[in-house]
PDB file of all heavy atoms in Angstrom:
ATOM      1  N   LYS B  15       8.359 136.893  12.932  1.00 94.00           N
ATOM      2  CA  LYS B  15       8.504 138.017  11.999  1.00 94.00           C
ATOM      3  C   LYS B  15       7.856 137.728  10.658  1.00 94.00           C
ATOM      4  O   LYS B  15       8.031 138.497   9.723  1.00 94.00           O
ATOM      5  CB  LYS B  15       9.981 138.320  11.786  1.00 94.00           C
ATOM      6  CG  LYS B  15      10.693 138.733  13.046  1.00 94.00           C
ATOM      7  CD  LYS B  15      12.058 139.210  12.631  1.00 94.00           C
ATOM      8  CE  LYS B  15      13.057 139.078  13.735  1.00 94.00           C
ATOM      9  NZ  LYS B  15      14.423 139.307  13.237  1.00 94.00           N
ATOM     10  N   ARG B  17       8.535 135.129   8.742  1.00 96.00           N
ATOM     11  CA  ARG B  17       9.463 134.480   7.807  1.00 96.00           C
ATOM     12  C   ARG B  17       9.174 132.970   7.691  1.00 96.00           C
ATOM     13  O   ARG B  17       8.824 132.308   8.655  1.00 96.00           O
ATOM     14  CB  ARG B  17      10.905 134.661   8.267  1.00 96.00           C
ATOM     15  CG  ARG B  17      11.355 136.087   8.287  1.00 96.00           C
ATOM     16  CD  ARG B  17      12.743 136.209   8.858  1.00 96.00           C
ATOM     17  NE  ARG B  17      12.803 135.731  10.252  1.00 96.00           N
ATOM     18  CZ  ARG B  17      13.882 135.781  11.004  1.00 96.00           C
ATOM     19  NH1 ARG B  17      15.009 136.300  10.506  1.00 96.00           N
ATOM     20  NH2 ARG B  17      13.864 135.343  12.227  1.00 96.00           N
TER      21      ARG B  17
ATOM     22  P    DG C  23      12.853 133.202  20.049  1.00 95.99           P
ATOM     23  OP1  DG C  23      12.531 132.925  21.458  1.00 95.99           O
ATOM     24  OP2  DG C  23      11.847 133.827  19.145  1.00 95.99           O
ATOM     25  O5'  DG C  23      14.183 134.070  19.985  1.00 95.99           O
ATOM     26  C5'  DG C  23      15.378 133.519  20.479  1.00 95.99           C
ATOM     27  C4'  DG C  23      16.560 134.409  20.096  1.00 95.99           C
ATOM     28  O4'  DG C  23      16.791 134.314  18.657  1.00 95.99           O
ATOM     29  C3'  DG C  23      16.362 135.899  20.412  1.00 95.99           C
ATOM     30  O3'  DG C  23      17.499 136.375  21.130  1.00 95.99           O
ATOM     31  C2'  DG C  23      16.252 136.551  19.053  1.00 95.99           C
ATOM     32  C1'  DG C  23      17.104 135.618  18.193  1.00 95.99           C
ATOM     33  N9   DG C  23      16.798 135.668  16.774  1.00 95.99           N
ATOM     34  C8   DG C  23      15.588 135.439  16.170  1.00 95.99           C
ATOM     35  N7   DG C  23      15.625 135.553  14.880  1.00 95.99           N
ATOM     36  C5   DG C  23      16.940 135.893  14.602  1.00 95.99           C
ATOM     37  C6   DG C  23      17.569 136.140  13.365  1.00 95.99           C
ATOM     38  O6   DG C  23      17.085 136.146  12.243  1.00 95.99           O
ATOM     39  N1   DG C  23      18.924 136.443  13.540  1.00 95.99           N
ATOM     40  C2   DG C  23      19.585 136.483  14.754  1.00 95.99           C
ATOM     41  N2   DG C  23      20.885 136.792  14.727  1.00 95.99           N
ATOM     42  N3   DG C  23      18.990 136.239  15.920  1.00 95.99           N
ATOM     43  C4   DG C  23      17.688 135.958  15.763  1.00 95.99           C
ATOM     44  P    DA C  24      17.422 137.896  21.719  1.00 95.99           P
ATOM     45  OP1  DA C  24      17.829 137.829  23.149  1.00 95.99           O
ATOM     46  OP2  DA C  24      16.148 138.533  21.333  1.00 95.99           O
ATOM     47  O5'  DA C  24      18.611 138.592  20.927  1.00 95.99           O
ATOM     48  C5'  DA C  24      19.918 138.011  20.951  1.00 95.99           C
ATOM     49  C4'  DA C  24      20.807 138.716  19.959  1.00 95.99           C
ATOM     50  O4'  DA C  24      20.315 138.484  18.618  1.00 95.99           O
ATOM     51  C3'  DA C  24      20.879 140.234  20.135  1.00 95.99           C
ATOM     52  O3'  DA C  24      22.217 140.683  19.977  1.00 95.99           O
ATOM     53  C2'  DA C  24      19.985 140.756  19.013  1.00 95.99           C
ATOM     54  C1'  DA C  24      20.235 139.713  17.934  1.00 95.99           C
ATOM     55  N9   DA C  24      19.167 139.611  16.948  1.00 95.99           N
ATOM     56  C8   DA C  24      17.841 139.415  17.201  1.00 95.99           C
ATOM     57  N7   DA C  24      17.090 139.351  16.108  1.00 95.99           N
ATOM     58  C5   DA C  24      17.992 139.545  15.084  1.00 95.99           C
ATOM     59  C6   DA C  24      17.848 139.591  13.689  1.00 95.99           C
ATOM     60  N6   DA C  24      16.663 139.468  13.077  1.00 95.99           N
ATOM     61  N1   DA C  24      18.965 139.796  12.953  1.00 95.99           N
ATOM     62  C2   DA C  24      20.156 139.917  13.573  1.00 95.99           C
ATOM     63  N3   DA C  24      20.412 139.894  14.882  1.00 95.99           N
ATOM     64  C4   DA C  24      19.275 139.688  15.584  1.00 95.99           C
TER      65       DA C  24
END
Side-chain angles (χ1 to χ4, degrees):
Chain B
K15 298 189 205 169
R17 297 175 299 184

